[in-house]
Amino acid sequence: MEAWISAVLSGILLGLAYGLAAIGLNLIWGVMNVINLSHGAFIALGMFASYFIFKFAGISPFISVFLVLAVGVVLGMIAYFLALHRVILAPELSTLLATYSLSLIIIGLGTFFFTTNPRAIDVGLGSVKVFGAYIPKEKILVGIYSLIFTLLLYLFLYKTWTGKAIRAVSMNITAAKFMGVNTTFILSLAFGIGIALAMVAGALIASVFPFTILTGGVYELKSFVICVLGGLGSPLGALVGGLIMGLLENVLTLKIQVGYVPFLEFLILVIILLVKPTGIMGKE
Amino acid sequence: MSDVVLKVEDLETGYGEVQILWGVSLEAKKGKLTTIIGSNGSGKTTLLRAITGVVPVWKGRVLFKGEDITHLPAHRRADMGLVMVPEGRMLFPEMTVYENLEMGAYTKRARAKLKESLDFVLNLFPRLKERLNQKAGTMSGGEQQMVALGRGLMACPELLILDEPSLGLAPKLVLDVFSVIKKLKDEGITMLLVEQNVHISLMITDWAYVMAEGRIVMEGSGEELEKSEEVKKAYLGV
């Protein structure tokens, strides 16, 4: 019984973090029509940022995550101007290749500098007993932080002028220009925020699981499945998709071997694509 | 000079290798309604795209309030008060009516007057009052045109460009749109109107240009053009 409770709680808490990473992917797709294949690389960068700050400055990932957020926005905006700006109006294949090459560069450099030896952040906060199951406090913080960042994003997109401009650009970029929106800035900012969410999700997950520079790829794939599950273009759907994904992953491993989980996840992806291609919360 | 808000000089542009405009010149005067008529493919839409900055200009100049804006990006032109109500309305469909109006007042100079502008727009379109929280994409064509006009007015325009505002509307709604344009004219708002409804447009306009094959072929007051045999033959079907 404790094992089930533990699995369900872990699933929810980690699922929220997966959802956060997927929201970043979703935002970039929704605003820019770009499928960001460098998402995983940036998730891994977030993990390493968190790791090095913890190792050399002794700062907890749950504090440094705000720095990671800020750095992520700036890094994402730089990446936009370097890799995407010139091809943003080109067909989707060009932007796909642009983000893919970005990913190859980051992972190449990361492999060279950080090697592929696994690393882990041991924050050592201990556990709490919930309904008889012991849950590491880090996992609980990961869930709470993910919820907070999702909420902040919502407030930003719906309550600020800049956030509304991002939504306007996602619906009709020409009309947004007519309203006086600097669309180049908004596109770069949207990419920056999407990247920052990936890095934040990475930084949070790194406090729970060990990782290498290649680990990001796994979470990138999860993000894609989550986006399809919840409906591309629907941030709330991404959160729901993340929860489903987290629960599946944790509950299924009680009964079957870990190695089968990705197979089942992609089976679900295929089924969703066949049955309801717009996703659970997506629109036509 | 001072009463000319928009001045277009010998404008040439097109898409890729294809030239569409062959030296277009026109003026829009302060407080006046200026109309451009012309058949499909005469270059009206391209002209507006060049004026608003979404299509680059090859040759010639665009002056707004005396300043050369030929190479200014579109959003900077909106900042200056050059406001476009685009063809097909181009609302933000997933936003509420209120948010659409709010986006109209996005520029700094318009934001400061948001409350006043909103009162003005809701006075003009009382029906929008109870629809403020409805998503714009779920409204009928006529209602959407009201939101589009309202959104343009929220920007405190120094020149309001209306691109085919009556396109695709039922005859009754076409009349509504024109009575609104008439009202705005009486309020002293400077407007540049592009229309296919030649007859009504010429009835209310102060000055009109006729475009054909990327050139201005005729200009005059609404009355003059309506009497002109050529216009009658080409557009009024008489």
Side-chain angles (χ1 to χ4, degrees), chain A residues 161 164 167 175 178-179 181, chain B residues 75 95 99 102 111 151:
Chain A
W161 280 103
K164 284 174 193 173
R167 286 167 55 220
F178 289 143
M179 303 300 119
V181 174
Chain B
H75 70 270
M95 283 187 171
E99 285 176 313
E102 212 178 24
R111 253 181 244 188
R151 190 177 64 173

Side-chain angles (χ1 to χ4, degrees), chain A residues 68-88:
Chain A
V68 172
L69 178 79
V71 170
V73 174
V74 175
L75 215 57
M77 289 179 80
I78 293 172
Y80 171 83
F81 283 108
L82 286 180
L84 276 172
H85 185 58
R86 273 171 301 169
V87 290
I88 195 75

Side-chain angles (χ1 to χ4, degrees), chain B residues 66-91:
Chain B
E67 260 180 76
D68 189 341
I69 60 163
T70 316
H71 300 292
L72 222 53
H75 70 270
R76 296 276 309 281
R77 301 185 198 206
D79 272 340
M80 293 173 72
L82 182 83
V83 175
M84 172 81 157
V85 178
E87 182 190 330
R89 304 178 276 272
M90 289 197 186
L91 295 181

